[in-house]
């Protein structure tokens, strides 16, 4: 049996593609530019964000309204990111938003709370600020846990040393009360930090027993290899970055339950699918993969060990930013291709047909991409000409 262990490990790391049944796929919204988060109110209303500054509300299929705009952050990965609804949303109508701001030539991430008043957001409050930001590695996922505390993922802001620094909020998973105060049972005195040693965690979700799981981007852009991670998060623990990439034999650090090895998944937002609407997914964690362009389906045991890891929708929708579940148990996905992005509804049984809403307010990252490429090409040509003349 031992000689088969490496093969089994490779299968887990690379993920396997199972035979899922045919699905009914409906496009709820298209024409978007990098939507980042989507949350459902108890009555089925949908709130979603676009990274370049818009927060939308859908009360009825076929119609969506912008209810809040933020200035563009100028950050490549930052901007208007995570959304979360207060556990008592039906009573207080509070929504929480993670936003990257450029202040005095420095990026900073903040979480604001607003009150939903019809089709606008009012009564803005700063819940937490001074989260280091940068053009890259801004984290940004926020969610209320089963304990009704607000959890916040933060990136290392391109300064890996901050992830190990308990005086910095960068490279952490934070835990605060809904008003921004520090819970008495946090692991570090008077600190919002819940876990540390993270590079750029992009997703968090809990199963029905309260186990917290997170997705995290590895250093593919810096070191030439992936090592994206899925971690079971334990209060007060150190997840290693930048001292550890992948697995470690040092008990000071918590190893991921799975990592991508030399591949890059770029795992992002996630949800625990506690619905029987798609029977093959019930009781599993679903993680959107950006670079991998698939939905990761993770079966995780109660002790935090990985049972299986599979791919779904590989290449069907391009980059998948996140997965979410509606109050009636239906699966929704957000794409993040930078051009004509979509909210997609997925079900096993046919549902009532929806009218697609097309956004006319969302731009395209492709224009920025082409301009950037043009500037780079022009620079290369100019340098080549100068070098030839010098010779």
């Amino acid at each position: 049996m031992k000689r088969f262990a490496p093969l089994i490990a490779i299968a887990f790391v690379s993920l396997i593609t199972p035979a899922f049944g045919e699905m009914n796929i409906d496009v709820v919204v298209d024409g978007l530019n990098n939507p980042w988060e989507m949350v459902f109110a108890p009555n089925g209303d949908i709130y979603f964000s676009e990274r370049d500054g818009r927060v939308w509300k859908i009360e009825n299929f076929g119609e969506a309204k912008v209810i809040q705009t933020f200035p563009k952050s100028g950050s490549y990965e930052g901007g208007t990111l995570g959304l979360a609804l207060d556990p008592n949303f039906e009573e207080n109508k509070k929504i929480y938003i993670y936003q990257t701001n450029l202040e005095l030539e420095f990026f900073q991430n903040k979480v604001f709370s607003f009150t939903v008043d019809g089709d606008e957001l009012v009564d803005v409050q700063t819940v937490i600020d001074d989260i280091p930001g940068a053009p890259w590695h801004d984290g940004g996922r926020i969610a209320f846990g089963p304990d009704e505390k607000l959890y916040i993922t933060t990136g290392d802001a391109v300064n890996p040393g901050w992830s190990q620094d308990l005086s910095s909020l960068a490279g952490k998973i934070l835990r605060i009360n809904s008003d921004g105060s520090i819970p008495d049972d946090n692991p570090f005195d008077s600190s919002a930090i819940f876990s540390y040693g993270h590079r750029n965690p992009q997703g968090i979700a809990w199963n029905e027993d309260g186990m917290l799981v997170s997705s995290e981007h590895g250093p593919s852009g810096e070191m030439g290899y992936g090592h994206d991670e899925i971690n079971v998060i334990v209060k007060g623990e150190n997840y290693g970055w930048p001292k550890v990439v992948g697995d470690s034999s040092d008990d000071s650090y918590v190893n991921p339950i799975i990592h991508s090895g030399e591949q890059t998944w770029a795992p992002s937002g996630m949800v625990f699918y506690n619905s029987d609407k798609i029977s093959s997914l019930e009781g599993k964690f679903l993680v959107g993969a950006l670079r991998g362009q698939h939905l990761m389906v993770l079966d995780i045991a109660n002790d935090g060990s990985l049972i299986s890891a599979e791919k779904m929708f590989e290449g069907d929708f391009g980059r998948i930013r996140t997965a979410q579940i509606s109050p009636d148990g239906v699966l929704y996905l957000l794409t993040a291709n930078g051009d004509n992005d979509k909210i997609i509804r997925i079900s096993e049984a046919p549902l009532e047909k929806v009218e697609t809403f097309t956004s006319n307010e969302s731009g395209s990252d492709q224009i920025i991409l082409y301009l950037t490429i043009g500037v780079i090409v022009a620079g290369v040509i100019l340098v080549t000409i100068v070098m030839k003349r010098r010779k």
Side-chain angles (χ1 to χ4, degrees), residues 131-371:
I131 300 172
W136 301 276
H137 304 185
D138 287 289
R141 197 68 57 182
I142 61 177
F144 280 93
D147 55 5
E148 299 193 349
K149 307 300 182 184
L150 182 62
Y151 291 73
I152 304 162
T153 75
T154 71
D156 68 6
V158 204
N159 190 328
W162 283 344
S163 296
Q164 292 292 321
D165 183 355
L166 291 176
S167 68
S168 172
L169 297 181
K172 310 296 192 298
I173 293 178
L174 310 179
R175 177 179 181 260
I176 59 175
N177 295 314
S178 60
D179 62 0
S181 60
I182 307 298
D184 293 337
D185 58 345
N186 268 14
F188 306 102
D189 288 343
S190 303
S191 173
I193 296 170
F194 189 75
S195 64
Y196 65 110
H198 300 289
R199 180 179 178 273
N200 193 21
Q202 290 273 296
I204 46 176
W206 292 260
N207 70 3
E208 292 172 324
D209 295 322
M211 180 172 62
L212 173 57
V213 178
S214 175
S215 64
E216 185 165 338
H217 287 193
S220 55
E222 300 155 30
M223 300 180 181
Y225 50 83
H227 287 100
D228 297 318
E229 298 180 354
I230 303 297
N231 288 294
V232 172
I233 302 301
V234 179
K235 174 180 176 179
E237 294 292 343
N238 185 347
Y239 288 79
W241 175 257
K243 297 179 180 295
V244 174
V245 177
D247 293 326
S248 169
S249 58
D250 188 336
D251 291 340
S252 301
Y253 309 111
V254 179
N255 286 332
I257 61 170
I258 182 175
H259 65 75
S260 64
E262 302 301 307
Q263 300 178 28
T264 300
W265 303 327
S268 191
M270 60 191 298
V271 69
F272 178 73
Y273 194 75
N274 58 343
S275 168
D276 61 359
K277 292 295 179 70
I278 303 177
S279 56
S280 58
L281 302 181
E282 187 173 4
K284 297 178 181 179
F285 287 89
L286 310 180
V287 188
L290 297 167
R291 181 82 66 84
Q293 298 193 6
H294 62 264
L295 184 69
M296 301 176 65
V297 181
L298 304 174
D299 192 2
I300 301 174
N302 289 334
D303 65 359
S305 61
L306 183 69
I307 298 171
S308 66
E310 302 170 316
K311 292 180 182 179
M312 191 174 186
F313 305 124
E314 185 174 14
D316 291 346
F317 309 124
R319 293 159 55 89
I320 299 177
R321 172 64 69 183
T322 193
Q324 191 55 268
I325 183 173
S326 66
D328 56 356
V330 175
L331 175 64
Y332 286 73
L333 302 179
L334 286 183
T335 70
N337 298 301
D339 181 37
N340 193 27
D341 281 314
K342 299 173 176 64
I343 298 177
I344 299 168
R345 185 183 70 175
I346 298 170
S347 63
E348 250 179 353
L351 299 174
E352 182 179 348
K353 191 69 176 177
V354 298
E355 179 183 351
T356 301
F357 173 84
T358 299
S359 170
N360 295 315
E361 302 192 42
S362 306
S364 170
D365 279 359
Q366 301 301 315
I367 297 174
I368 299 173
L369 175 63
Y370 295 146
L371 288 174

